[in-house]
């Protein structure tokens, strides 16, 4: 009953069908994050694309200026000096054939997977396992690289991945409800800007159709897109 009252109280503060400025939307989301844990603030963008077509796929990474508030586990496929570099840079799991065997056994102890180019023949065997989880290293995303240290540092410092789903929606966590409003606003703007810059060549008509914010347990708040349309 208490949970239902909390949800009802949160919903009563948001006018259905109304769009709010980003600042006010963030304030509402923070105010409605009343769960007993530090809720994640999530952003969703509805795009005018059909990601089933290769020239309309939207995918990439963006480094949020204030981080995500979440500790990201990084796994690295590398050998020799590059494996040592990965360990020194703070990778959580580093290996080659031994790491491949762990993944094949279902031991996936990382949220981001990085590989040096020479390891991709090995990593390619794990495509059916890593692919569906969005963990397959990709040179276009900077996760197949010789700059192992740089990739790990970026991942650990608040870099988030976005990828359009079938309905043309991209979403990501942009921080915790405990963050200052200014930091959440800055992170939201950085995310929106990155997705706008990633507009694919095949996208026709209106690209950014809708923006919504919500905390893990809170109601959605629609954001006025007029300030971002262009």
């Amino acid at each position: 009953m208490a949970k239902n009252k909390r949800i009802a109280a949160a919903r009563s503060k948001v006018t259905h069908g109304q769009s709010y400025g980003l600042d006010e939307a963030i304030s509402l989301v923070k105010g409605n994050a009343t769960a007993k844990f530090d809720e994640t603030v999530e952003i969703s963008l509805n795009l005018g694309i059909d990601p089933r077509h290769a020239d309309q796929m939207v995918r990439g990474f963006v480094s949020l200026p204030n981080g995500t508030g979440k500790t990201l586990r990084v796994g690295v496929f590398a050998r020799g000096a590059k494996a040592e570099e990965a360990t020194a840079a703070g990778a959580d799991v580093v290996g080659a054939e031994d790491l491949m065997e762990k993944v094949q056994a279902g031991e996936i102890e990382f949220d981001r997977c990085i590989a040096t180019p020479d390891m991709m023949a090995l990593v390619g065997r794990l495509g059916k396992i890593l692919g569906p989880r969005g963990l397959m290293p990709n040179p276009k995303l900077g996760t197949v690289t010789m700059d192992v240290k740089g990739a790990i540092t970026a991942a650990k410092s608040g870099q988030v991945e976005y990828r359009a789903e079938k309905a043309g929606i991209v979403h990501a966590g942009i921080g915790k409800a405990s963050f200052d409003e200014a930091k959440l606003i800055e992170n939201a703007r950085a995310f929106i800007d990155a997705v706008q810059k990633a507009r694919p060549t095949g996208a026709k008509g209106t690209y950014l159709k809708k923006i919504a914010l919500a905390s893990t347990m809170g109601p959605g708040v629609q954001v006025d897109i007029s300030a971002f349309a262009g």
Side-chain angles (χ1 to χ4, degrees):
M1 185 64 72
K3 179 181 177 182
N4 292 337
K5 285 184 178 180
R6 181 183 64 78
I7 293 173
R11 287 178 176 169
S12 70
K13 297 176 184 177
V14 180
T15 302
H16 181 70
Q18 180 175 334
S19 295
Y20 297 86
L22 180 61
D23 295 19
E24 187 177 1
I26 290 288
S27 181
L28 280 168
V29 169
K30 271 182 61 72
N32 283 330
T34 56
K36 293 181 179 179
F37 62 94
D38 193 5
E39 299 180 47
T40 296
V41 175
E42 300 173 351
I43 190 169
S44 298
L45 276 60
N46 190 343
L47 306 177
I49 60 171
D50 183 350
R52 292 176 297 180
H53 299 288
D55 66 347
Q56 293 188 50
M57 186 60 193
V58 175
R59 184 180 183 185
F61 285 116
V62 54
S63 292
L64 300 180
N66 301 297
T68 63
K70 177 184 176 182
T71 301
L72 196 74
R73 300 173 302 168
V74 177
V76 178
F77 283 89
R79 288 193 178 96
K82 286 298 173 180
E84 294 175 5
E85 179 184 328
T87 300
D92 297 273
V93 188
V94 181
E97 283 81 5
D98 55 334
L99 183 53
M100 180 185 73
E101 291 173 3
K102 285 184 177 180
V103 172
Q104 289 175 326
E107 296 179 41
I108 303 175
E109 300 172 337
F110 49 83
D111 310 298
R112 177 76 54 80
C113 186
I114 296 165
T116 53
D118 59 297
M119 297 300 294
M120 286 310 294
L122 187 71
V123 178
R125 303 180 205 172
L126 303 172
K128 290 184 179 179
I129 300 173
L130 298 178
R133 293 173 170 81
L135 294 173
M136 194 67 182
N138 186 324
K140 293 181 179 179
L141 298 176
T143 47
V144 178
T145 177
M146 290 299 287
D147 184 13
V148 172
K149 180 180 179 180
I152 294 170
T153 300
K156 292 281 189 178
S157 64
Q159 189 185 63
V160 297
E161 182 180 7
Y162 57 87
R163 182 176 184 176
E165 299 177 348
K166 289 181 180 179
I169 295 172
V170 295
H171 60 85
I174 56 167
K176 294 292 184 178
S178 60
F179 281 23
D180 291 340
E181 286 185 21
K183 290 184 177 180
L184 287 170
I185 291 168
E186 194 175 3
N187 279 359
R189 290 188 183 281
F191 184 83
I192 294 167
D193 184 56
V195 174
Q196 285 186 304
K197 288 179 178 177
R199 177 172 181 152
T201 56
K204 307 298 180 185
T206 303
Y207 177 58
L208 184 58
K209 300 175 74 174
K210 183 178 178 182
I211 302 173
L213 291 163
S215 62
T216 306
M217 303 296 289
V221 179
Q222 190 165 320
V223 177
D224 182 1
I225 67 169
S226 61
F228 305 100

